[in-house]
Amino acid sequence: MKHIATTIARTSNCRIDRCSCGAVHISVGGTTVRVQDGIARELRDILGLAIGEIDKQTSTAPAPPSFHLVRSLGDDDGDPELH
């Protein structure tokens, strides 16, 4: 059987090809993994879960304050003012 791969999706860093034998070729950078459809779906699902966890961990970091107190130039009382 002759294997003919057709690109079905591409970004600047990744490419997904579908082979005439039914395999899915997933290329990221210089690495290509050849898997069957079911494994490609499992990879999609586990990547989604992992990225969700990464996003949760990243979003729990304290946000920088949206305001801060500063001393106003020319203010005679010396108390900080809200800006």
Side-chain angles (χ1 to χ4, degrees), residues 2-83:
K2 186 173 183 180
H3 295 273
I4 300 170
T6 304
T7 299
I8 56 176
R10 174 184 292 237
T11 67
S12 60
N13 296 306
C14 304
R15 188 181 78 236
I16 309 293
D17 296 334
R18 178 69 186 251
C19 185
S20 58
C21 72
V24 178
H25 299 191
I26 303 167
S27 300
V28 180
T31 302
T32 300
V33 178
R34 181 181 175 272
V35 297
Q36 296 303 316
D37 286 351
I39 300 299
R41 288 182 183 88
E42 186 177 337
L43 177 61
R44 173 202 60 203
D45 295 344
I46 196 71
L47 275 172
L49 290 172
I51 296 302
E53 284 301 312
I54 290 169
D55 290 345
K56 268 199 282 189
Q57 293 171 5
T58 306
S59 68
T60 58
S66 58
F67 64 89
H68 60 280
L69 298 175
V70 297
R71 298 219 181 269
S72 181
L73 294 176
D75 186 7
D76 293 336
D77 66 7
D79 292 329
E81 294 185 13
L82 185 60
H83 286 266

